[in-house]
Amino acid sequence: MPTGPIRTIDMELIDALFGMGGGYVLDFTDRTFAEFFASELGINIDERRYSAEGTSKAKRLRYFLRTCSAPIRLQVLLALWEYRETKRKR
């Protein structure tokens, strides 16, 4: 498992998998995005530091993934994948 920084090619795949074009992430609103991170991961994604490169959900998520540790990054991506798959199966 990679432990270093997230690669550009990996971020492009993440963008595609989670529908991050135009600043969106999946079907989250700003409120539900914050609630998801808080309840599923115990993370306040609305902290000012995650908005260093912009305030859209996609920009905050990209910044978060580039700056967090590899274990946390994996935890976040798995939680988002589970959410995506649950929605898709409905």
Side-chain angles (χ1 to χ4, degrees):
M1 171 185 347
T3 58
I6 195 162
R7 301 176 318 159
T8 300
I9 195 164
D10 296 328
M11 191 60 78
E12 289 175 6
L13 177 61
I14 291 165
D15 281 3
L17 288 173
F18 299 126
M20 292 168 58
Y24 297 99
V25 176
L26 297 169
D27 65 346
F28 289 113
T29 64
D30 286 337
R31 180 184 56 79
T32 60
F33 189 62
E35 288 172 356
F36 175 83
F37 267 79
S39 66
E40 295 294 320
L41 303 157
I43 296 167
N44 180 2
I45 196 67
D46 287 336
E47 281 186 35
R48 184 180 206 150
R49 63 182 161 155
Y50 301 129
S51 298
E53 296 176 356
T55 59
S56 75
K57 290 176 287 292
K59 287 181 180 180
R60 285 183 287 148
L61 179 57
R62 285 185 201 106
Y63 184 82
F64 180 86
L65 293 173
R66 282 196 307 275
T67 58
C68 69
S69 67
I72 298 296
R73 183 167 52 231
L74 179 61
Q75 182 182 8
V76 168
L77 292 173
L78 288 174
L80 287 169
W81 182 259
E82 180 180 14
Y83 176 87
R84 176 188 182 267
E85 288 301 289
T86 299
K87 289 287 193 168
R88 187 183 64 80
K89 289 177 183 175
R90 289 187 188 163

